[in-house]
Amino acid sequence: MHGDSHWVCPSCRQGLARGDQDFVCAAESLRFSTHHDIPDFILPSRRPEIDEFLRSYQKIRRSEQWGSEAIEYYLRLPYEDLTGKHQWIWNIRRKTYECFLTDFRQHAGSRSLTVADLGAGSCWLSHRLAKEGHHVLAVDINTDIHDGLGVLSRFPSLKNFQPIRAEFNFLPLTFASCDVMIFNSSLHYSNKPIELITKTLPFLKDRGILYVLDSPMYNRPENGEIMISQKIESFRKNHGIELPPKHAGSYLTFEVLANVGDALELTVLKPNYGVQWHGRRFMSRIFSGREPAIFAVLKIRRRK
């Protein structure tokens, strides 16, 4: 696990000194504070855009009634949604998690790995991996107490579990410091997902693995573009939010992934979502007028 001496400035990548309540970059005269035991490594120049995004994101999440006052809710994820509000989504995420976990455990064997959960949200995945004995870094920009890193104040204490507030494009980590990194239903928040994958790989140790979970994939890009347009219209109609295109996210296509495979070692793992899921996909195609998204588990390594 990263100790204080291992954090680097997300801007210049120089080592940070530990202050009384913060971390200091002497090279750029930057201070990164800690709130409720969560170091905040968001760059000052990036805060206005992140605050703008979070205002919309948190309004939508509250409207959709994510999260709970009960800590048991988070401990049961992804197997059961105790609120009953999003059980169908968690059924899908459970299958994705089980597919990922089988491969992850084979890779880990008896070793205790250093894992970065990118887009940790309410930290259910980080907590499960930490309970298995791995050293987990939970990364997110959202510190909400019901739907973000703030949930950790209610989690059972784990010594090998470190939350940080940071952007994926500006991680305060040293290169070659992680055995595994996971984009946990989060890669599609980037407008340039392939570029972000490439930028993330240097943080992996030799033969380390980057997993992508629960991000939408399509056979044809036009279906992804329709999805984004429908998403923007849905937020306008259902939440009264004018979502800027830059905050509408993105998607992957299998053609683009095939091209990435020329430079990287890429494996596509397909969870078995069951007959009911295929039935819902068929109905979704009829009512939405587009190909439904495909959710596979991507396993990525740099080629030797």
Side-chain angles (χ1 to χ4, degrees), residues 56-75:
S56 297
Y57 178 80
Q58 291 174 349
K59 181 179 179 180
I60 291 166
R61 298 287 283 189
R62 284 192 292 269
S63 176
E64 293 175 340
Q65 297 182 295
W66 289 91
S68 172
E69 293 291 340
I71 190 57
E72 186 65 21
Y73 162 80
Y74 302 98
L75 299 177

Side-chain angles (χ1 to χ4, degrees), residues 226-249:
I226 294 173
M227 178 273 292
I228 289 178
S229 297
Q230 291 174 339
K231 180 179 179 180
I232 292 173
E233 177 58 27
S234 173
F235 287 169
R236 179 186 299 116
K237 179 180 178 181
N238 298 325
H239 306 289
I241 291 176
E242 295 293 333
L243 191 68
K246 66 180 179 179
H247 292 161

Side-chain angles (χ1 to χ4, degrees), residues 5-300:
S5 62
H6 291 86
W7 301 122
V8 300
C9 175
S11 175
C12 70
R13 303 204 51 79
Q14 298 297 309
L16 297 176
R18 186 69 162 99
D20 291 337
Q21 297 292 328
D22 53 18
F23 297 90
V24 180
C25 173
E28 299 203 11
S29 300
L30 294 175
R31 289 183 177 272
F32 301 97
S33 58
T34 298
H35 302 282
H36 304 292
D37 297 323
I38 303 173
D40 186 344
F41 292 109
I42 301 297
L43 292 168
S45 61
R46 297 286 303 147
R47 290 185 182 277
E49 181 169 343
I50 289 176
D51 290 345
E52 178 190 1
F53 169 78
L54 284 176
R55 279 192 292 272
S56 297
Y57 178 80
Q58 291 174 349
K59 181 179 179 180
I60 291 166
R61 298 287 283 189
R62 284 192 292 269
S63 176
E64 293 175 340
Q65 297 182 295
W66 289 91
S68 172
E69 293 291 340
I71 190 57
E72 186 65 21
Y73 162 80
Y74 302 98
L75 299 177
R76 297 286 286 274
L77 296 177
Y79 291 97
E80 185 178 6
D81 175 5
L82 294 180
T83 69
K85 301 181 187 302
H86 303 286
Q87 187 61 59
W88 171 250
I89 294 175
W90 285 111
N91 286 342
I92 299 298
R93 299 205 66 185
R94 173 176 60 85
K95 292 290 188 179
T96 303
Y97 169 69
E98 290 172 343
C99 178
F100 151 77
L101 190 62
T102 297
D103 193 86
F104 174 84
R105 283 174 170 168
Q106 290 176 350
H107 173 65
S110 60
R111 297 177 298 159
S112 177
L113 303 184
T114 297
V115 181
D117 180 4
L118 304 175
S122 60
C123 297
W124 65 268
L125 176 58
S126 291
H127 187 258
R128 286 191 175 274
L129 295 180
K131 283 181 66 177
E132 294 204 1
H134 302 290
H135 302 284
V136 183
L137 187 67
V139 184
D140 211 301
I141 62 171
N142 186 14
T143 58
D144 186 82
I145 61 171
H146 293 110
D147 196 37
L149 299 178
V151 173
L152 288 174
S153 63
R154 291 180 281 155
F155 264 103
S157 178
L158 289 172
K159 293 181 179 179
N160 53 337
F161 190 168
Q162 171 66 61
I164 65 166
R165 186 173 190 239
E167 286 190 271
F168 301 152
N169 279 308
F170 299 97
L171 293 173
L173 312 181
T174 54
F175 290 138
S177 60
C178 297
D179 298 292
V180 169
M181 304 183 82
I182 308 161
F183 280 113
N184 181 15
S185 190
S186 58
L187 181 63
H188 54 282
Y189 285 100
S190 169
N191 289 325
K192 299 179 180 180
I194 299 301
E195 181 179 306
L196 180 56
I197 286 173
T198 302
K199 192 172 183 177
T200 303
L201 290 172
F203 295 104
L204 289 169
K205 297 177 184 178
D206 184 44
R207 301 306 291 162
I209 298 176
L210 174 65
Y211 289 98
V212 178
L213 311 184
D214 290 311
S215 282
M217 286 170 269
Y218 294 92
N219 289 305
R220 296 188 301 173
E222 53 263 38
N223 289 305
E225 293 302 315
I226 294 173
M227 178 273 292
I228 289 178
S229 297
Q230 291 174 339
K231 180 179 179 180
I232 292 173
E233 177 58 27
S234 173
F235 287 169
R236 179 186 299 116
K237 179 180 178 181
N238 298 325
H239 306 289
I241 291 176
E242 295 293 333
L243 191 68
K246 66 180 179 179
H247 292 161
S250 61
Y251 56 88
L252 295 168
T253 66
F254 287 98
E255 180 180 358
V256 168
L257 290 174
N259 293 333
V260 170
D262 294 337
L264 305 172
E265 188 178 307
L266 172 67
T267 304
V268 179
L269 307 173
K270 295 185 178 180
N272 180 10
Y273 291 119
V275 175
Q276 186 180 16
W277 180 76
H278 289 286
R280 288 182 70 118
R281 281 179 54 79
F282 176 75
M283 296 304 295
S284 176
R285 183 186 294 270
I286 293 175
F287 288 107
S288 69
R290 61 171 171 83
E291 169 199 8
I294 298 167
F295 293 94
V297 175
L298 304 183
K299 177 183 177 181
I300 303 169

